[in-house]
Amino acid sequence: MMAARSKLKTGDLVRIVSGRSRGREGRILRLDRTRGRVWIEGANMVKKAVRSKNPNQPQQGGLTDVEASVNWANVMVVCRRCGIARIGYDTSGEDKVRVCRKCGEPL
């Protein structure tokens, strides 16, 4: 399977625009470019059964909440100035910079 292209990066502030967690905002924790999925902190939480690794350790087993992945087509980057926006590129300087398509502010 070939890796898909995306303008998203780890650490971007994004908002989920469709699905069960619609409207939630958070930072991207992880990207899977081969499957086109992103993990967003505090969004799309699911229960996961966890075993205690060692009975003598303080970590307990049981049910914990973890972030599940979201398709990256369902998220949009949040610009500090104008809200959700698409990503463009500015190549007028020496290096290529990601910018907001609405206001031109660097992301």
Side-chain angles (χ1 to χ4, degrees):
M1 193 177 230
M2 221 167 141
R5 292 184 52 158
S6 171
K7 298 177 182 180
L8 298 172
K9 288 186 177 181
T10 304
D12 283 345
L13 181 64
V14 295
R15 184 179 302 159
I16 299 176
V17 293
S18 69
R20 187 178 73 173
S21 294
R22 182 183 320 123
R24 295 256 174 107
E25 285 188 11
R27 301 243 172 236
I28 294 180
L29 299 173
R30 208 167 92 200
L31 274 139
D32 184 355
R33 294 185 188 282
T34 56
R35 293 189 306 153
R37 310 291 287 183
V38 294
W39 284 260
I40 302 166
E41 69 177 340
N44 200 25
M45 301 299 284
V46 294
K47 299 278 187 193
K48 180 177 179 181
V50 178
R51 284 180 60 178
S52 175
K53 293 184 179 167
N54 185 350
N56 300 330
Q57 294 294 326
Q59 181 190 10
Q60 269 190 321
L63 290 176
T64 59
D65 285 332
V66 294
E67 290 95 357
S69 64
V70 177
N71 192 308
W72 68 24
N74 297 335
V75 300
M76 289 189 76
V77 172
V78 176
C79 174
R80 285 173 274 169
R81 190 187 297 172
C82 57
I84 61 171
R86 293 182 298 157
I87 300 173
Y89 291 100
D90 181 24
T91 56
S92 61
E94 287 185 15
D95 35 335
K96 188 174 174 181
V97 179
R98 295 185 317 149
V99 296
C100 171
R101 287 263 181 102
K102 286 183 185 176
C103 65
E105 172 135 349
L107 295 174

